[in-house]
Amino acid sequence: LFTCQTSSFQESIDVDERDADFDNEEIAGYSQKIQQINSYYAIYYYQNTSLTLLDASLPPEAEPELRSYISRRLSKGALLGGMGNIATVELSIPEQAVGCYCCLLEQEKSPEQPDADGNGWVVILNTFSLTLQTFRIELDKYVQGLQGCLTPELRTNLETEVRPYLNRWYEESVMHIHKVVQLLQANVGYLLHAALSHKLFEVTGADEKTKADIARFIKAASLQGLVQEDTLCKAISEDSHSSLIIDCSTSPPTLTNKVSNRFCNDWIQAFLNAAERFNPFLLRQILENFKLKAIQDMNNLKRFIRQAEMSHYALFRCCLFLQSCGNGDVLLQNARAEHSSLPEACGIIKVLEEFLGEHAQGTLY
């Protein structure tokens, strides 16, 4: 059982080796390609089934191809207001096939424009990566930030607001995980643990952009939305007495009240390797694998706890599992919050906590 779990875990953190089986020269070339990445945008005004180009950073020969593609999508009703859609599109640009994010921002009705129903702006964001889907939530939120400054003509604020905003989409929506890993380096394990354990945190000595990047990283690494909300609230309240302090006034940043464990530490090198290759999409995939493995272990623990209520052997297996997974503190914290109303399960969890405490011998479990 535990051999299989270890193998599965190793496959999770080795995602970069599986997905990019390059020799050293190929890795160098691939990294250079990503560092020189081209990202594009286009914005159209959509009215009465017609598209009017307002601005674009695409090469001139590629824009008509993109417009044709978007027109087909709109005619099929494939773009829903406010919800991004991602597909692969062939365009006359160096990358040829690009990941294309499309979002229709519907125009609000007003007394001045009573016939605006169905009108809106189509925002297109392109990059060479075909895995743009992993950042769809961030892209949706970023594009929504345009809503307040859009007009049918964009005559007054194109240069001052809209174009600078769209030019920053890749940096703002895709690169935050990479920037945090580059900033924290090996200390990223403490952020991973803080995310899993719902630990409160505070960033000092940093500009607002860095603070936002760290907050987004921790949110992306957390299990928010993947575990029951009441469990999350109970787990947060348990650990609210000591916040993780990240002081960015020093280089590297200094962390106070930092806690990690073997599970989180085992993922550090995978993050550092992907960051060194300058691959934000690989970083996101590793982050998702990290969360998936944590959830799998949580589900395994819940199953073992149910079995342990009826079998001493199952309780022993549960102890072995917690020792081997390296994430016992986080798993028990969540289990304790989730089973707080079940006396028998709470008794099992207390025994498990005592067992791990006796066998920790000064090491993190």
Side-chain angles (χ1 to χ4, degrees), residues 110-147:
S110 66
E112 295 79 17
Q113 294 178 310
D115 300 325
D117 190 30
N119 296 350
W121 299 266
V122 179
V123 182
I124 318 296
L125 308 174
N126 305 92
T127 183
F128 96 97
S129 176
L130 307 183
T131 57
L132 201 56
Q133 180 68 36
T134 55
F135 289 94
R136 190 185 62 79
I137 294 176
E138 285 88 348
L139 294 173
D140 281 347
K141 184 175 181 180
Y142 192 74
V143 168
Q144 292 294 331
L146 273 174
Q147 189 85 52

Side-chain angles (χ1 to χ4, degrees), residues 15 22 31 37 53 58 60 64 71 73 80-81 92 125 131 164 204 226-227 249 251 256 275 321 324 336 365:
V15 60
F22 305 134
S31 300
I37 189 171
L53 178 66
L58 284 163
S71 295
R73 301 287 292 175
L80 302 177
S92 297
L125 308 174
T131 57
T204 62
L226 301 175
V227 297
S249 64
S251 182
T256 308
F321 168 72
S324 68
R336 189 166 55 246
Y365 50 88

Side-chain angles (χ1 to χ4, degrees), residues 46-51 66-80 85 102 104 118 122:
Y46 178 58
Q47 182 180 33
N48 299 326
T49 71
S50 68
L51 286 172
L66 179 62
R67 185 198 300 246
S68 175
Y69 167 76
I70 298 304
S71 295
R72 292 196 302 271
R73 301 287 292 175
L74 287 167
S75 66
K76 296 177 181 178
L79 292 183
L80 302 177
N85 186 286
C102 312
L104 173 62
V122 179

Side-chain angles (χ1 to χ4, degrees), residues 142-201:
Y142 192 74
V143 168
Q144 292 294 331
L146 273 174
Q147 189 85 52
C149 59
L150 292 176
T151 63
E153 299 84 12
L154 289 187
R155 290 173 182 166
T156 57
N157 59 352
L158 174 61
E159 296 283 349
T160 58
E161 294 183 68
V162 176
R163 183 176 293 163
Y165 189 86
L166 288 174
N167 271 322
R168 295 194 304 269
W169 77 264
Y170 187 82
E171 177 76 14
E172 298 285 350
S173 300
V174 174
M175 290 300 295
H176 56 284
I177 296 175
H178 180 270
K179 288 188 287 185
V180 171
V181 175
Q182 288 284 69
L183 176 67
L184 274 297
Q185 291 293 310
N187 284 334
V188 73
Y190 298 115
L191 264 64
L192 295 173
H193 188 274
L196 287 185
S197 58
H198 325 293
K199 193 179 186 72
L200 300 178
F201 67 94

